[in-house]
Amino acid sequence: MSRLQVVSGKGGTGKTTVAAALALALATEGKRTLLVEVEGRQGIAQLFEAEALPYEERKIAVAPGGGEVYALAIDPELALLDYLQMFYKLGGAGRALKKLGAIDFATTIAPGLRDVLLTGKACEAVRRKEKSGRFTYDYVVMDAPPTGRITRFLNVNDEVAGLAKIGPIHNQAQAVMRVLKSSETAVHLVTLLEEMPVQETADGIAELRAANLPVGRIIVNMVRPEVLDADELEFARAVPRTAVAKSLSTAGLGGARRGGNAERLVEPLLVQAEEYAERYTLEHEQRSVLGELGLPLHELPLLAEGMDLAGLYELATELRQQGIS
């Protein structure tokens, strides 16, 4: 299993939820996982019902079996200060630059610098070791930008390494790309069984492959339960309306005691069946499209009670049962 797990997906597919569930799944059995947020939305804190995350690695959950999940919301300005201290030993001078607004200016105006800092911080956590020689974290899970930006986001250090031919910036960019383009990294894409997210997933996979970035798995989120199978749907289409009305009356629905007529229930029931049949057909078509992409495919259920902390643990269990960890 790759040590850096990058999770992307079209907006609205629940990629942050999947990233959090994946971090929990990987932390079971005594492992330690770092869950990294790079978009400044504080989505991780909300999912774990915690206060807003500072720019520090903080334990946010305990997984089954005693594992631990830490979380980090990367702040580009503070990451740049870390970078300046690490390579240029600026210390107090770096803090002075921040007070003058130079750090904010640099992260806003410099092309790609923000993404360089975000990916660099995540890769530093992947490589970091304790004094004993053990990795600080068994896994790092990144809640990454959406699919439309993921390739550029991950590949930005390649561009930087090409621009800065020598020096610490070049060396740092190369070190980051050695992690991102190796077996240490896997980029997972989250989708729904809908045409637009599936198409964006297919396009994203093609872009990642063209950039030689390691694609991991496809995770289909919020899958609704199958109420009727294909044979039952065909039967619903063919059965006469009178037979449906008679069955409803026999079942005590729409009878005189309810002040209605069973026939009045037939039309809305058949409309619902037709709508379900359309959704069933669409979802099976999209599954076929995803199956042709040649990647492991996992499905997570739509939780009827909505997403809360208990639901997050439920999804983590589902991922483990499907062999993703």
Side-chain angles (χ1 to χ4, degrees), residues 145-196:
T147 316
R149 292 202 303 116
I150 188 61
T151 300
R152 179 67 185 274
F153 172 76
L154 294 176
N155 215 36
V156 67
N157 284 277
D158 238 1
E159 299 176 16
V160 171
L163 292 172
K165 300 296 184 182
I166 59 174
I169 294 177
H170 173 83
N171 295 338
Q172 167 70 1
Q174 281 199 322
V176 170
M177 290 315 300
R178 279 195 294 271
V179 174
L180 293 179
K181 290 194 172 183
S182 73
S183 58
E184 281 191 284
T185 298
V187 185
H188 309 303
L189 296 183
V190 181
T191 186
L192 306 178
L193 289 175
E194 299 172 5
E195 289 183 71
M196 287 185 63

Side-chain angles (χ1 to χ4, degrees), residues 84-287:
L84 293 174
Q85 174 60 23
M86 186 180 301
F87 291 105
Y88 297 99
K89 310 299 182 186
L90 287 187
R95 290 188 291 275
L97 287 173
K98 178 174 173 60
K99 288 181 180 180
L100 292 172
I103 298 297
D104 179 55
F105 176 80
T107 56
T108 302
I109 204 70
L113 176 59
R114 178 186 175 88
D115 291 350
V116 168
L117 296 167
L118 295 172
T119 53
K121 185 65 177 177
C123 288
E124 181 276 325
V126 172
R127 297 191 302 262
R128 193 190 314 156
K129 291 185 177 181
E130 305 289 304
K131 291 181 179 180
S132 63
R134 179 183 182 274
F135 283 113
T136 302
Y137 296 104
D138 297 288
Y139 300 101
V140 175
V141 178
M142 180 194 291
D143 177 22
T147 316
R149 292 202 303 116
I150 188 61
T151 300
R152 179 67 185 274
F153 172 76
L154 294 176
N155 215 36
V156 67
N157 284 277
D158 238 1
E159 299 176 16
V160 171
L163 292 172
K165 300 296 184 182
I166 59 174
I169 294 177
H170 173 83
N171 295 338
Q172 167 70 1
Q174 281 199 322
V176 170
M177 290 315 300
R178 279 195 294 271
V179 174
L180 293 179
K181 290 194 172 183
S182 73
S183 58
E184 281 191 284
T185 298
V187 185
H188 309 303
L189 296 183
V190 181
T191 186
L192 306 178
L193 289 175
E194 299 172 5
E195 289 183 71
M196 287 185 63
V198 167
Q199 184 59 56
E200 190 163 315
T201 297
D203 294 342
I205 290 170
E207 291 175 3
L208 289 165
R209 285 172 170 166
N212 295 318
L213 289 162
V215 187
R217 303 160 187 257
I218 298 170
I219 303 172
V220 184
N221 195 25
M222 293 185 273
V223 177
R224 286 170 285 195
E226 195 169 278
V227 179
L228 303 173
D229 61 24
D231 291 338
E232 290 167 333
L233 283 170
E234 186 59 38
F235 176 78
R237 291 190 188 99
V239 66
R241 291 170 178 264
T242 53
V244 176
K246 184 176 180 180
S247 296
L248 290 173
S249 294
T250 302
L253 298 173
R257 285 186 302 167
R258 296 175 63 88
N261 192 317
E263 293 181 358
R264 296 176 186 173
L265 297 177
V266 174
E267 186 61 29
L269 283 174
L270 291 179
V271 168
Q272 287 188 20
E274 184 177 344
E275 291 174 351
Y276 177 81
E278 290 177 1
R279 177 165 66 83
Y280 178 92
T281 301
L282 173 64
E283 290 180 348
H284 277 256
E285 288 173 351
Q286 299 312 309
R287 273 195 186 91

